[in-house]
Amino acid sequence: MTANGILQLAFYLVVLIALVKPLGAYMADIYEGKPAVLNQFGAPVERLIYRLCGVKESEEMRWTQYAVATLWFTLVGLLVVYGLQRLQNLLPFNPAGMGAVSPDSSFNTAVSFVTNTNWQGYGGESTMSYLTQMLALTVQNFVSAALGMAVVIALIRGFARQSAQTIGNFWVDLTRGTLYILLPLSIVFALVLIVQGVPQTLSAYKTVPLVESVEYDNPKLDAAGQPVKDEKGNPVTEKATQKEQVIAVGPVASQIAIKQLGTNGGGFFNANSAHPYENPTPLSNFLELLAILLIPAALCYTFGVMVGDRRQGWAVLAAMTIVFVALLAVCVGAEQAGNPALAKLGVDQTASSAQAGGNMEGKETRFGVVNSALWATATTAASNGSVNAMHDSFTPLGGLVPLWLIQIGEVIYGGVGSGLYGMLMLVIVGVFVAGLMIGRTPEYLGKKVEAYEIKMASIAVLVPLFTALFGTAVVAMTDAGRAGVANPAAHGFPRFCTPFLLRAATTAARLRDCRRTRRSTTPPSAWSCSSRATGSSSRFSRLRVRWPRKGRSPPAPGRWKRTRRCSYSSSSASSSSSAR
């Protein structure tokens, strides 16, 4: 690893950690209803939304009401996204004349975006109209992220409140997360991206002449539009000349901003953030990378503020960061070391002033090895899934890191909300095991961890894994599933398991085509149906198990309690001191 690469990584981590406290504290104020700059100016808009929707701001919900509201909101969103795709040929803002999306692909995309998975089985610039990109996909980028944040805030309230039957109001949390957090950040970020060269327009695609004409073999079609074949069954081709090119543009910046901030990852273009119109400069690359982990990291501090112990938030963030840095070092080191097969051929892969060095296959020269490996690690750690390099071209060790991050459920920072509540499930299990090992009643944040809590946490941990493995087995055993594989080489098994792991972890990592899975561009029905079922079942199976039902328990003998000076002393020691 070069000194320049180490400096870039260190700068990224320093900026990220520096922004955790101010943003985390601001989000805590927003969700607790405390005065902040934006909610003072936006209060009339917020109240108007409540009046139009018939929401009583002061009326809180039980966990069952909260979960039902979440499910109903998701179901309505699914139907809207599906309908917009199926009817886009009849709707406005379609200058390219895109036809209706097929039922299979529409349902696949709808489930994917409303669950914040954002798996894309289509090419955005060749499939979706501007209206679908804006009203269906971009809107879901906002509200699915806000939903994840609302769920983790409800969980935090369950930890923080000593004795309460309610955990907040879903509609209030959803509105505040969208209006005061995601929307302002996205507006500022989109303006910065426009300055960097990302398009934001409703104009039609641009047709420009090529500098040099290109000749190629084009399949010959009959009157019915079917390929013509010769006596041996081979396709007949004819020479064609390409003299001009169609350049896709559109409302790109607004979608890219929220796709990163909301850890959605679904890009406007098929090449995602490797496309120069999504990610044109090194500065845009740095800012998009920062946006991926910004809110998930800041939510750890929000957690500490809302439970009344900031050290708990810093502890969770520290655990995430240690794992992230270790895996980042492995990925960057493996990619910077280069391809051993090329080294045997005498190819110079050392970094110098003339080249980035290392394994540059599938990477953009304007980003190099370090920023490509950093993006691959961050995007799978945060369940974002956008890519600026092709993961299928990574070295074995370099590609292992993204796959491993996906397989552990993407809780190292994780998606907005989903990463933190996924990590807290593991914390509960860890506290329970530690309590058994030392012979004490397990407690976390003043609440006893008993059989019920462990059963619910175990369901949250195991259900996504079961659905992912079951879906993988079904596809691997069927001809229809195996038919979608376009690269049956060393990456064979990841082609089967990755789509289901992504769905189970509600990630957006579109590791298809030139990415890790190398499937055909349009997934077969077997892949689409089974993977979308995995995504919906694994996401919503967790809603039932995330509501702590107990009030805060009194300090047990030997348990550490907080004193007025915010230090910690043993309750048993305090009792003996009082007796003396």
Side-chain angles (χ1 to χ4, degrees):
M1 193 181 302
T2 64
N4 178 271
I6 295 175
L7 181 63
Q8 292 184 64
L9 298 178
F11 181 70
Y12 173 79
L13 290 171
V14 168
V15 174
L16 175 65
I17 300 301
L19 293 174
V20 164
K21 184 175 181 179
L23 180 58
Y26 169 76
M27 289 193 293
D29 290 342
I30 291 297
Y31 284 114
E32 290 180 333
K34 296 179 180 179
V37 176
L38 292 181
N39 64 5
Q40 290 178 341
F41 288 101
V45 178
E46 182 184 359
R47 289 193 294 268
L48 177 62
I49 294 173
Y50 296 152
R51 283 199 296 269
L52 293 176
C53 299
V55 175
K56 296 181 179 179
E57 181 181 357
S58 59
E59 185 176 295
E60 293 201 349
M61 299 177 174
R62 298 173 60 89
W63 78 263
T64 49
Q65 296 171 305
Y66 205 101
V68 169
T70 301
L71 293 172
W72 272 114
F73 180 77
T74 302
L75 177 60
V76 172
L78 187 151
L79 296 176
V80 171
V81 175
Y82 178 83
L84 285 171
Q85 292 177 87
R86 295 291 294 137
L87 299 174
Q88 73 172 6
N89 60 316
L90 305 176
L91 298 173
F93 297 108
N94 187 9
M98 301 292 183
V101 183
S102 66
D104 178 73
S105 180
S106 296
F107 190 37
N108 184 44
T109 302
V111 172
S112 180
F113 273 76
V114 299
T115 58
N116 201 243
T117 306
N118 296 51
W119 172 280
Q120 293 179 278
Y122 61 90
E125 67 270 40
S126 59
T127 307
M128 300 294 183
S129 69
Y130 291 170
L131 184 68
T132 304
Q133 294 270 24
M134 293 186 296
L135 192 56
L137 307 187
T138 303
V139 168
Q140 283 302 318
N141 283 347
F142 276 99
V143 296
S144 65
L147 186 149
M149 296 165 66
V151 169
V152 78
I153 293 300
L155 174 65
I156 293 172
R157 292 193 186 106
F159 279 121
R161 296 180 177 181
Q162 296 188 15
S163 180
Q165 298 296 321
T166 58
I167 54 172
N169 188 307
F170 169 74
W171 306 111
V172 173
D173 293 338
L174 182 74
T175 302
R176 289 176 176 173
T178 304
L179 188 61
Y180 300 131
I181 300 173
L182 295 175
L183 192 58
L185 288 174
S186 297
I187 291 174
V188 174
F189 191 24
L191 292 174
V192 174
L193 291 177
I194 292 172
V195 172
Q196 291 299 299
V198 178
Q200 181 69 21
T201 178
L202 295 177
S203 301
Y205 292 178
K206 306 300 181 182
T207 301
V208 296
L210 295 177
V211 176
E212 182 178 354
S213 300
V214 178
E215 290 189 357
Y216 61 96
D217 292 328
N218 193 41
K220 188 175 182 180
L221 304 178
D222 58 20
Q226 299 298 320
V228 177
K229 297 183 180 181
D230 59 18
E231 298 82 2
K232 297 182 180 180
N234 298 320
V236 177
T237 61
E238 56 186 0
K239 291 290 183 181
T241 303
Q242 183 76 27
K243 296 183 179 180
E244 57 185 18
Q245 178 184 2
V246 177
I247 298 179
V249 292
V252 182
S254 56
Q255 181 167 333
I256 303 310
I258 186 57
K259 98 167 184 184
Q260 304 295 54
L261 288 166
T263 61
N264 300 284
F268 190 93
F269 299 102
N270 189 40
N272 209 271
S273 291
H275 197 289
Y277 279 0
E278 282 200 20
N279 190 10
T281 67
L283 178 58
S284 70
N285 188 75
F286 175 80
L287 294 176
E288 290 185 31
L289 266 170
L290 189 63
I292 291 175
L293 298 183
L294 180 59
I295 295 178
L299 277 171
C300 295
Y301 189 80
T302 302
F303 167 69
V305 172
M306 293 184 68
V307 298
D309 188 354
R310 289 175 174 81
R311 291 179 297 179
Q312 297 292 341
W314 286 119
V316 174
L317 179 64
M320 293 178 175
T321 304
I322 290 171
V323 176
F324 177 78
V325 171
L327 293 175
L328 177 62
V330 172
C331 188
V332 174
E335 293 304 302
Q336 192 67 65
N339 190 329
L342 295 178
K344 293 179 181 180
L345 299 175
V347 177
D348 181 14
Q349 300 180 79
T350 57
S352 66
S353 59
Q355 63 178 14
N359 175 35
M360 280 298 294
E361 180 189 349
K363 298 179 177 64
E364 293 289 308
T365 55
R366 68 185 190 276
F367 301 140
V369 169
V370 172
N371 284 287
S372 300
L374 173 58
W375 193 298
T377 307
T379 194
T380 48
S383 80
N384 177 274
S386 61
V387 293
N388 72 348
M390 303 301 105
H391 297 175
D392 193 49
S393 298
F394 276 36
T395 61
L397 282 179
L400 173 66
V401 170
L403 281 175
W404 192 77
L405 284 167
I406 294 171
Q407 290 169 354
I408 63 173
E410 294 175 317
V411 294
I412 307 304
Y413 298 116
V416 286
S418 62
L420 180 57
Y421 63 60
M423 176 62 82
L424 291 177
M425 290 300 102
L426 299 179
V427 169
I428 291 174
V429 174
V431 167
F432 180 77
V433 173
L436 294 180
M437 293 175 65
I438 63 177
R440 288 170 50 186
T441 302
E443 296 178 0
Y444 185 59
L445 296 176
K447 296 179 183 293
K448 292 183 179 180
V449 180
E450 297 178 333
Y452 176 83
E453 287 74 26
I454 288 301
K455 290 177 182 177
M456 296 298 101
S458 299
I459 291 174
V461 173
L462 295 177
V463 167
L465 298 177
F466 172 78
T467 56
L469 293 175
F470 181 79
T472 301
V474 169
V475 170
M477 293 172 60
T478 59
D479 294 334
R482 292 192 295 270
V485 178
N487 179 20
H491 291 165
F493 186 70
R495 287 191 309 279
F496 294 121
C497 68
T498 302
F500 299 98
L501 290 168
L502 298 176
R503 297 286 186 153
T506 64
T507 182
R510 307 181 315 141
L511 306 180
R512 72 180 198 294
D513 299 335
C514 296
R515 301 171 180 85
R516 171 61 62 184
T517 56
R518 288 269 188 190
R519 296 188 295 103
S520 56
T521 303
T522 303
S525 297
W527 290 80
S528 298
C529 297
S530 53
S531 61
R532 66 181 173 238
T534 299
S536 56
S537 62
S538 61
R539 179 176 176 89
F540 296 118
S541 65
R542 297 181 176 190
L543 292 177
R544 168 65 181 89
V545 302
R546 301 208 183 273
W547 318 117
R549 61 175 187 168
K550 291 187 174 70
R552 191 175 296 276
S553 59
R559 178 173 159 263
W560 297 95
K561 68 177 182 180
R562 186 183 298 178
T563 65
R564 290 185 178 180
R565 295 184 180 181
C566 296
S567 60
Y568 282 74
S569 59
S570 172
S571 57
S572 59
S574 301
S575 300
S576 60
S577 176
S578 300
R580 288 195 298 270

